[in-house]
Amino acid sequence: MNEITIAGNTYRYGKLNAIEQFHLERRILPLVFSAFPAFSSVMEEKGEDAVISWEEVIEKSKPLADTLSGMSDEDAEYVTRTCLGVVHRKQGMEWSPVMSDGNLMFDDLDAFEMVLLSFFVIRRNLANFMQKLVIFLADPVK
């Protein structure tokens, strides 16, 4: 399990099973493909260690925002609930699930924290898939 602290709370996030990963992948692939060209062009222009201004982030995020806003409520909730389903929050010496039976267990968890936690779960669970997909798309014969 990986740990992260957000807004003074420590969270652990784990691994999704293969079926959950598949359903998550198919829902977020449009987001990935809308964001990848924009952000990869910045990296090509400026290099990996480049400092990017907020204006550039906002400008380059428009395709991602357009795709995200077009996502159905059902898909957006599936992504969020699936991701938060493998997240636990430290409560004293115990770890409590953030999501139980599809319900949030903490009233103070806000939208920004939910999105950030979902991002970390997606990154941990789908990074390998994305790397393999890019390699396959570059050379499908391998």
Side-chain angles (χ1 to χ4, degrees), residues 4-11 89-92 108-109 113 116:
I4 185 168
T5 300
I6 302 171
N9 294 302
T10 302
Y11 297 92
R89 183 171 170 177
K90 191 170 188 176
Q91 297 291 106
D108 64 337
L109 192 64
E113 292 170 38
L116 196 53

Side-chain angles (χ1 to χ4, degrees), residues 46-96:
K46 296 188 172 201
E48 288 185 24
D49 296 329
V51 175
I52 302 169
S53 71
W54 277 111
E55 291 82 13
E56 289 173 298
V57 169
I58 290 169
E59 175 189 329
K60 297 294 183 180
S61 297
K62 184 165 179 3
L64 177 63
D66 290 344
T67 304
L68 183 59
S69 68
M71 182 183 263
S72 71
D73 290 350
E74 179 184 73
D75 284 347
E77 287 181 22
Y78 178 87
V79 169
T80 304
R81 290 179 194 283
T82 299
C83 290
L84 295 181
V86 295
V87 177
H88 290 75
R89 183 171 170 177
K90 191 170 188 176
Q91 297 291 106
M93 299 304 287
E94 302 291 321
W95 291 92
S96 300

Side-chain angles (χ1 to χ4, degrees), residues 102-122:
N103 297 305
L104 286 173
M105 302 308 294
F106 297 95
D107 291 337
D108 64 337
L109 192 64
D110 65 23
F112 177 76
E113 292 170 38
M114 286 190 333
V115 169
L116 196 53
L117 288 166
S118 296
F119 168 78
F120 281 101
V121 170
I122 290 167

